[in-house]
Amino acid sequence: MNSDDNAHAVEDFAVRAEAWLAANVPTRWREHRGALSNTEADEFRREWDRQLSAGGFAGLGLPKEFGGQGLGLAEEVVFHVLAAKAQAPDGLARVGKILTAPMLVSHGTEAQRAKYLPKILSGEEVWCQGFSEPGAGSDLAGVSTIARKTEGGYLISGRKTWTSFVQHASRCLVLAQTDRGAPRYKNLGMFLVDMNQPGVLVNDIKQISGAVHFAEVQFEDTFVAEDDRVGEEGDGWAIAMKVLTDERGGTETATRYVEIRADMDLLLASCAGRPELAGELEDLDIRTELLRWQLSKVVDLESGHGSEFWRAVSILKVLWSELWQDVARLGLRAMVPGDREHWRNQYLESKAVSIYSGTNEIQRNIISERVLRLPR
Ligand SMILES: Cc1cc2nc3c(=O)[nH]c(=O)nc-3n(C[C@H](O)[C@H](O)[C@H](O)COP(=O)(O)OP(=O)(O)OC[C@H]3O[C@@H](n4cnc5c(N)ncnc54)[C@H](O)[C@@H]3O)c2cc1C
């Protein structure tokens, strides 16, 4: 396809997606989201995963032979932008779709793909990501959870923390040591663990905003079959890096851009005529548009998948997370009477975004060492 055909294909997709979203985003979610109980909200989110699948909008970037739609990053970004504008629910299947599925395509066996991909894409199975531990977050290679060999598989023991979606998950992607004696980075394996079995204990963690997005998970001799190890023993670190790169890709930026733009428009409207805030508002407004530009640059670079693409992707997470925090901070400081609850919530929720998927300090280390090749 030449670039004109490509642009037309993306436009056609956008028209189809916009019409589908207009017909399918539940009115109750769009108009009364804040009044829903957590249980009701979760049911909307679970149902949304099923709707996406039925409508042909699940696994947009996944190759067709694996049950996906075989589209590119441009369509994925367009869909995320339109879904955020339509105020669609965020599904619960994020870890399965964004992390597990592409990992199984690149590193899984035929049997693993056949067993797991259909249920991930249909929204039937929710996954969580068991990487971080109380003693290993930024230093992920230091995980101490161990997978000991047993007949037919492994027994997993250890503590994972900050595990998002675990309350809904039936499967977990677990990074664990397979060989205590092997050198660092060569001593890890990646496992697909069934969470509905004895030896899995989940303790909720409440966030500063009052939400409960994650929990601590204790594995006590939890069985995982040999067939559910991804790659070989010792491949865990390389696979974890692939998973983390997918996690930091462009699609979350698309959603965040729309949310930040909406917050900026709210701020600009409510603070018009306040000269003391004018300079800061203009600065944040420019940064919001720079984010949009950077996102479109990533999409343009995708076909190359070269170093320029990864350079741009690495920078996105730092850009949007710090911008959202700064917008929320100004929103709180502006003290607009009717908007206080909104800004309080945004301020507290935005605290987490410079931490998850790797903290911004770690992102900056990656950008300086691996993208800019600066000396240590
Ligand atoms: C909302 C949310 C959801 C999450 N969901 C998941 C999940 O589903 N699964 C999962 O596995 N994890 C999840 N995490 C965990 C997240 O990946 C970790 O919190 C993150 O990697 C940081 O690890 P840590 O908390 O152990 O902090 P630490 O690694 O202890 O870091 C503490 C501070 O030291 C700084 N620091 C550490 N090392 C360096 C260095 N080399 N250079 C410069 N600064 C450094 C960090 O930037 C940070 O400011 C989630 C976190 C949040 C906030």
Side-chain angles (χ1 to χ4, degrees), residues 173-211:
L173 206 52
V174 174
L175 184 66
Q177 283 197 28
T178 45
D179 182 352
R180 290 245 193 257
R184 197 172 152 87
Y185 304 116
K186 299 283 179 205
N187 57 346
L188 301 171
M190 186 67 74
F191 298 92
L192 311 171
V193 176
D194 178 0
M195 297 297 274
N196 297 320
Q197 60 170 313
V200 179
L201 307 173
V202 175
N203 295 312
D204 288 347
I205 302 172
K206 198 169 181 179
Q207 286 170 259
I208 193 173
S209 64

